[in-house]
Amino acid sequence: MSPKPLSGAKSAPQKSAQQTEKSLDLRALQRTPGFMLRLAQLKFFEGFYEEFAALGLTPATYAIFAVIRDNPGVPPSSLAGLLRLRLPNLIKILNELESSGFIKRNRSKSDRRAVELMLTPKGAKLIAEGARLTEPYNRKMLAPLSEAEQRTLLELLNRMLPL
């Protein structure tokens, strides 16, 4: 190991972070499904924030809107379990969505203790706008894969992560 140059001494040009990353041996991590899924998640989230920023949607709020749209009356506890969110964290998001006029909470007619979530017309309009962006966004993010590979990827993920 060579010593670091002294302060003021000229050193070899530093490699950029990108050059360094490309020269690292990542073969072991590339064979680790959890690591690769995490990188894929980060890539999709970064792309999501870019594509959906104008609507003010995050991956979490998009998922909340979609589940409520497709399951009117879903209770918050079921939503939290499905999305793997802690109920207090979900309640905070729901409070913001309700105060912004996107959702409403109703008491269940069958169990007055239970709360059901519904989209307001404003919330339905927002998720409809988001849904229009979804297909082009997914096409862009999955572009390195053929259509058959895209279908296979979704089939495998759905098999691994039954909802």
Side-chain angles (χ1 to χ4, degrees), residues 27-47:
R27 287 176 292 185
L29 290 176
Q30 289 174 316
R31 291 187 303 269
T32 306
F35 179 77
M36 296 306 292
L37 286 168
R38 175 70 174 137
L39 289 183
Q41 178 198 26
L42 291 171
K43 177 181 177 175
F44 271 78
F45 276 23
E46 288 167 3

Side-chain angles (χ1 to χ4, degrees), residues 81-107:
L82 174 71
L83 300 179
R84 310 299 193 271
L85 294 170
R86 291 183 47 232
L87 190 56
N89 295 342
L90 175 64
I91 296 302
K92 182 179 176 186
I93 296 169
L94 294 177
N95 288 342
E96 292 171 11
L97 296 177
E98 186 174 37
S99 67
S100 297
F102 293 113
I103 66 163
K104 60 183 176 178
R105 294 175 174 131
N106 296 326
R107 287 280 167 205

Side-chain angles (χ1 to χ4, degrees), residues 121-155:
K122 183 179 176 181
K125 181 180 180 202
L126 181 61
I127 190 59
E129 291 171 11
R132 278 192 289 279
L133 297 177
T134 301
E135 187 179 330
Y137 165 72
N138 287 336
R139 200 176 319 113
K140 174 180 153 185
M141 297 302 290
L142 295 172
L145 304 176
S146 70
E147 286 186 30
E149 289 169 329
Q150 292 176 27
R151 283 190 301 275
T152 299
L153 174 63
L154 282 173
E155 288 170 13

Side-chain angles (χ1 to χ4, degrees), residues 33-80:
F35 179 77
M36 296 306 292
L37 286 168
R38 175 70 174 137
L39 289 183
Q41 178 198 26
L42 291 171
K43 177 181 177 175
F44 271 78
F45 276 23
E46 288 167 3
F48 188 97
Y49 284 110
E50 290 173 15
E51 297 291 324
F52 293 77
L55 297 177
L57 288 171
T58 66
T61 56
Y62 182 91
I64 290 167
F65 279 116
V67 172
I68 296 172
R69 176 199 61 204
D70 297 342
N71 303 276
V74 64
S77 57
S78 296
L79 187 59

